[in-house]
């Protein structure tokens, strides 16, 4: 899907920054894809989630002139933290989205994240940054897409987009279908 949706001014990189990344002038969106539904739910304390946060931070630090975003796409559902209760009893990954909005309290997330085993510079940022800096520098830059198990709509969308792309190059629908599974 990322390849099909690629714009002329964008470049797709595989296995460089996460599983793949789309780079455009001044911006990079890295995507981590996990098929982990069989492993159970994910929380802010999950090893893969903590690794994704640290990876985002490292990528941002390595590319200070770019706007870096990370999309964490997993088949696992969102679980509830064992060590922290968030307002409205939201799971941590759902509260992340809530706290990214203006005028929402970042402190419950800061409290949990600042005590996780991150690099010294990320820990210092979490401890010392103003709420808006945390929102803009972290919360609004990482999206958690969890519980995406049914690939049928995605498969249908890919098939439709390939047919449309094939038309632009005067290919038949069957040729476009073969491009999907060579």
């Amino acid at each position: 899907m990322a390849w099909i949706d690629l714009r002329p001014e964008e470049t797709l990189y595989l296995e460089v920054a996460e599983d793949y990344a789309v780079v455009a002038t001044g911006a990079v969106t890295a995507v981590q894809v996990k098929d982990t539904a069989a492993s159970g739910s994910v929380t802010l304390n999950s090893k893969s989630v903590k690794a994704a946060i640290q990876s985002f931070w490292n990528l941002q630090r390595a590319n200070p002139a770019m706007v870096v975003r990370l999309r964490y796409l997993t088949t696992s559902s969102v679980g509830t933290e064992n060590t922290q209760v968030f307002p409205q009893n939201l799971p941590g990954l759902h509260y992340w989205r809530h706290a990214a909005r203006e005028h929402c309290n970042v402190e419950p997330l800061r409290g949990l994240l600042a005590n996780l085993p991150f690099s010294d510079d990320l820990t210092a940022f979490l401890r010392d940054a103003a709420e808006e800096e945390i929102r803009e520098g972290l919360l609004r830059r990482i999206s958690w897409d969890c519980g995406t198990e049914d690939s049928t709509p995605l498969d249908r969308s890919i098939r439709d987009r390939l047919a449309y792309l094939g038309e632009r190059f005067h290919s038949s629908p069957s040729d476009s279908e073969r491009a999907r599974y060579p």
Side-chain angles (χ1 to χ4, degrees), residues 22-30 56 59-60 63-70 136 140-141:
V22 176
V23 177
T25 303
V28 59
T29 300
F56 162 81
L59 186 60
Q60 180 68 60
N63 298 281
M66 299 186 87
V67 174
V68 175
R69 299 194 186 288
L70 175 77
E136 191 53 43
R140 292 178 181 154
R141 303 271 180 113

Side-chain angles (χ1 to χ4, degrees), residues 51-102:
I53 294 168
Q54 185 64 61
S55 178
F56 162 81
W57 185 258
N58 296 345
L59 186 60
Q60 180 68 60
R61 290 296 162 255
N63 298 281
M66 299 186 87
V67 174
V68 175
R69 299 194 186 288
L70 175 77
R71 182 177 180 206
Y72 183 90
L73 179 62
T74 181
T75 54
S76 291
S77 62
V78 172
T80 303
E81 310 301 319
N82 290 330
T83 59
Q84 175 91 19
V85 176
F86 289 98
Q88 304 166 356
N89 289 325
L90 290 172
L93 292 171
H94 288 171
Y95 191 75
W96 182 290
R97 190 173 323 158
H98 180 78
R101 290 187 238 139
E102 271 183 70

Side-chain angles (χ1 to χ4, degrees), residues 60-152:
Q60 180 68 60
R61 290 296 162 255
N63 298 281
M66 299 186 87
V67 174
V68 175
R69 299 194 186 288
L70 175 77
R71 182 177 180 206
Y72 183 90
L73 179 62
T74 181
T75 54
S76 291
S77 62
V78 172
T80 303
E81 310 301 319
N82 290 330
T83 59
Q84 175 91 19
V85 176
F86 289 98
Q88 304 166 356
N89 289 325
L90 290 172
L93 292 171
H94 288 171
Y95 191 75
W96 182 290
R97 190 173 323 158
H98 180 78
R101 290 187 238 139
E102 271 183 70
H103 310 297
C104 291
N105 189 2
V106 169
E107 294 310 313
L109 266 178
R110 182 199 306 259
L112 176 83
L113 294 172
N115 288 305
L116 293 177
F118 292 127
S119 63
D120 290 345
D121 59 332
L122 176 51
T123 300
F125 172 78
L126 290 164
R127 183 187 61 235
D128 301 334
E131 283 194 4
E132 191 55 34
E133 290 175 300
I134 291 175
R135 266 189 211 94
E136 191 53 43
L138 189 67
L139 302 181
R140 292 178 181 154
R141 303 271 180 113
I142 301 176
S143 65
W144 308 103
D145 298 322
C146 304
T148 52
E149 287 189 53
D150 184 10
S151 64
T152 304

